[in-house]
Amino acid sequence: MAKFLNTSATNYYLEELIKSASDRLILISPYLKLNDRIKELLEDKNRLKIDVRIIYGKSELQPLEISWLNELSFVRTSFCKNLHAKCYLNESSCIITSLNLYEFSQVNNNEMGVYVSRDDDPAMYKDTYEEAQRIIRISDEVRISLEKIEKAVTPALTITSNQSSENDKTSKMTSSKLAIKLKLKTAELFKVLITQGYVEEVEDKHILTDKGLSSGGEAKKGRFGAYIIWPDNFNPISTS
């Protein structure tokens, strides 16, 4: 039988649903602005190689957040036009709710929802899961959305780049942006980097090697964890 959830209960069950996912996790929310707690949980799922799908419907992702998401190899993010559903599922339960996966909503809004266990109500869980799969099928991978965002800000970025190019020949980009430039997914880029000896994987983390450092790679630490930047003319594929 479905269980009614108020605002605090929805937040609690959402965290438990993410933590208990051992095979798959689907997060559907029109608005997407993740708080630090949800980010920590998703990073842990990524370390455990859990298949995570995030579907959002409003183009309000900041470049830093997109970059962070793209660094998570097992988290795939998609954009769905006209999305209004809010639904969160793992392999054993789901939450259907008014709560967006949005930091402000989780703290300030009055929300309602229902929790459904697959064991207690398999028919309702099945219907919810099948609808979630349909939404995934009609969604576009976030890499497409990121390219659109970058095109939208290109004029401003180009001016900055041209102004600095005479004095700074070493402008750099994140691994996710380099992947987009090379028409790869971030996970595919890191496979190339590891194969070519620019990066090594230590305890599910990517560490620069001496070769990576000599090629201009730099390890950085941001708000959402460590990341690597590369010279904008760096191309590991051309050396493979």
Side-chain angles (χ1 to χ4, degrees):
M1 181 178 293
K3 179 182 296 185
F4 172 78
L5 306 176
N6 60 16
T7 305
S8 58
T10 301
N11 280 294
Y12 170 78
Y13 274 90
L14 174 59
E15 286 197 12
E16 292 301 307
L17 183 147
I18 296 173
K19 284 194 293 185
S20 62
S22 59
D23 179 50
R24 62 179 177 269
L25 177 65
I26 302 172
L27 306 175
I28 300 174
S29 170
Y31 292 94
L32 185 62
K33 186 176 181 183
L34 306 173
N35 62 39
D36 290 342
R37 175 62 176 166
I38 297 296
K39 282 187 170 74
E40 289 176 1
L41 294 174
L42 291 178
E43 286 174 344
D44 187 51
K45 296 293 106 173
N46 186 69
R47 283 190 288 270
L48 293 171
K49 296 180 170 56
I50 305 300
D51 180 32
V52 180
R53 295 298 304 262
I54 301 177
I55 300 89
Y56 72 98
K58 304 296 180 183
S59 301
E60 296 186 355
L61 289 184
Q62 297 300 310
L64 185 61
E65 193 150 48
I66 295 175
S67 178
W68 174 81
L69 284 165
N70 283 339
E71 293 288 344
L72 304 180
S73 303
F74 292 89
V75 178
R76 291 179 288 168
T77 312
S78 302
F79 176 83
C80 182
K81 185 179 179 182
N82 299 325
L83 180 68
H84 198 259
K86 299 98 176 175
C87 182
Y88 312 110
L89 307 90
N90 64 18
E91 65 278 355
S92 62
S93 60
C94 67
I95 298 170
I96 304 167
T97 177
S98 61
L99 178 71
N100 282 293
L101 203 60
Y102 196 77
E103 196 169 20
F104 180 89
S105 301
Q106 291 176 283
V107 175
N108 296 281
N109 290 351
N110 293 306
E111 309 285 354
M112 291 184 185
V114 292
Y115 171 86
V116 179
S117 167
R118 184 179 184 178
D119 291 336
D120 294 340
D121 198 336
M124 186 172 181
Y125 176 89
K126 178 176 179 292
D127 289 343
T128 306
Y129 178 77
E130 289 178 351
E131 179 61 13
Q133 290 296 315
R134 186 191 70 82
I135 291 173
I136 290 173
R137 288 194 298 271
I138 64 173
S139 302
D140 294 324
E141 290 279 343
V142 76
R143 190 159 67 96
I144 298 173
S145 298
L146 179 56
E147 289 169 352
K148 291 178 181 177
I149 290 170
E150 289 186 333
K151 287 178 182 178
V153 301
T154 294
L157 291 177
T158 301
I159 292 171
T160 303
S161 177
N162 289 341
Q163 289 173 342
S164 62
S165 60
E166 296 180 1
N167 300 319
D168 183 7
K169 301 295 185 182
T170 58
S171 56
K172 296 189 176 182
M173 62 178 67
T174 62
S175 300
S176 59
K177 287 186 178 180
L178 178 61
I180 291 168
K181 180 181 177 181
L182 300 175
K183 299 186 180 345
L184 298 171
K185 293 183 178 180
T186 303
E188 293 171 339
L189 171 63
F190 273 109
K191 286 181 181 179
V192 173
L193 294 170
I194 292 170
T195 300
Q196 296 300 315
Y198 294 102
V199 168
E200 60 183 1
E201 191 171 13
V202 179
E203 295 181 350
D204 294 325
K205 293 182 180 180
H206 294 117
I207 308 298
L208 278 168
T209 62
D210 290 340
K211 182 178 179 180
L213 290 168
S214 64
S215 68
E218 289 184 50
K220 296 287 185 179
K221 189 170 184 181
R223 180 183 175 189
F224 306 126
Y227 62 98
I228 301 173
I229 59 174
W230 306 92
D232 58 6
N233 60 354
F234 175 63
N235 186 348
I237 296 177
S238 65
T239 61
S240 61

